[in-house]
Each structure stands twice: as C-alpha cells, then as structure tokens.
Amino acid sequence: MSTTASVLKKNRGKILVAIAALLIALVAVVGSGAYFTSVSSNPGNVFTAGILTHSNSDANGAFMTVADMYPGETRTGSVTLQNNGSVDGRLWLEQTGIADTPGGNGGPLSETLYVEITRGATVVYSGDLDAFAGAIDAGLLTVADGPITYDWAVTFPDTGDPLGADTGDNAYQGSSVTVAYAWELVTQ
C-alpha cells in the first residue's frame, strides 16, 4: 500500500469531518439569504365610485311641436344632451309612447310619418314612426364630449293624388300623433 493511501485510510474520519464542515459552511453561506433587500409601502389607497348623469335640453318637455303638416313636407327639431357625470356612458333612445288621434277621415298619422334621427353625420334611426321599437343605440356620451345635439327630421310623405276624399293622403287630414321618447345613459 502506498503512503498516500495509508495516510488517507488512517485519517479518513478526519477528512470526512473536514469535507462535511466545508459543505455545511458552503450551504450556510449560499442558503443564508445574504442578499440586499428594499421594501416600500403604499398606505391610504382610496377608491371612489364615479357619477353617471346627463342633462337634456328639453327634459320633461316636448322638443318638437309641429302643426299643419301636409304631404311632401319635412319638419325638423333637435334635442341636446350632455354627460355631466364623471364617467363615460353609452346612450340609448327609446320611443316610450305613441298616441294617435285620427282626424275625420280616420287615418292614424303615425302609420305614414317617416323619421330620421341623426347625431352629426351618423344616422341613429331612419324609418317609419310606428316602426320604431325598443331601445336603440344612440352612441357614446363621454364626459369630454360636451353638448351633443340629436336632430329629428319628420317627413309626411306625398303618396300622390288620392283616389277619393278619404283615401291616400286625405285619410290623414286633421290627424295628430303624440310621441314620447326616453334617454338612458349606461356605463360601458
């Protein structure tokens, strides 16, 4: 046996103890969590609910009263809305009531009038007055928008010469219709 082997054999216990001590020291240094740290905090956070409200230039009143319409004529009216809250919303328009008062020839005016509602160049509704059903999307109404005007064009179509005193356009002489609209602003 060589002298190195015999020295290792005699001191085997001491060598193992030394290796174990080195490993423990290495684990202590690496696993001790010896690293830099920095901690910050953010106390006092506050959360507040936004406010959703709008104004209507003709709230609780008619924005359009038209008398003595005749076939072929278009009359206009407008209403202006503004988001006065602190959060943006989507605006919905609904025709909530329609009441015809037929004239002497019995024609309900709502069945012949044509309505076009626009917001600038955007058409919100275009169709027969009596076909307007449900709530329609009238677009976003943001706080930053400021006042937004919706324009109505109501047309009494000219269907040509009536065949009789109470037919065609003559059926609507003296008739009137009252229409109610409701606006609802809803958060996105």
Side-chain angles (χ1 to χ4, degrees):
M1 196 185 266
S2 75
T3 53
T4 308
S6 76
V7 170
L8 287 175
K9 192 174 184 181
K10 283 184 187 178
N11 296 317
R12 190 169 144 190
K14 290 179 185 177
I15 293 172
L16 289 175
V17 170
I19 291 173
L22 283 174
L23 287 174
I24 291 171
L26 182 63
V27 168
V29 169
V30 172
S32 71
Y35 49 85
F36 294 116
T37 64
S38 175
V39 177
S40 67
S41 64
N42 299 100
N45 295 293
V46 176
F47 300 92
T48 307
I51 298 170
L52 185 68
T53 184
H54 73 280
S55 60
N56 176 328
S57 61
D58 295 297
N60 300 315
F63 62 88
M64 206 173 163
T65 301
V66 177
D68 299 325
M69 282 188 84
Y70 54 85
E73 182 181 28
T74 298
R75 300 275 187 98
T76 59
S78 63
V79 64
T80 301
L81 290 99
Q82 183 170 349
N83 184 335
N84 300 320
S86 62
V87 295
D88 298 340
R90 180 157 298 282
L91 196 58
W92 295 89
L93 172 62
E94 186 171 7
Q95 186 171 283
T96 57
I98 189 165
D100 271 300
T101 304
N105 295 333
L109 196 56
S110 67
E111 73 180 21
T112 195
L113 293 181
Y114 183 84
V115 178
E116 183 171 271
I117 305 167
T118 56
R119 174 182 171 164
T122 303
V123 175
V124 175
Y125 176 78
S126 182
D128 295 331
L129 178 66
D130 64 352
F132 188 127
I136 58 172
D137 185 347
L140 288 176
L141 192 60
T142 69
V143 175
D145 284 338
I148 298 292
T149 299
Y150 289 83
D151 296 305
W152 263 251
V154 180
T155 302
F156 186 159
D158 185 347
T159 61
D161 289 334
L163 297 176
D166 58 357
T167 63
D169 294 340
N170 283 337
Y172 307 108
Q173 286 190 47
S175 296
S176 68
V177 61
T178 301
V179 183
Y181 293 99
W183 298 92
E184 182 177 19
L185 187 59
V186 180
T187 56
Q188 292 281 73

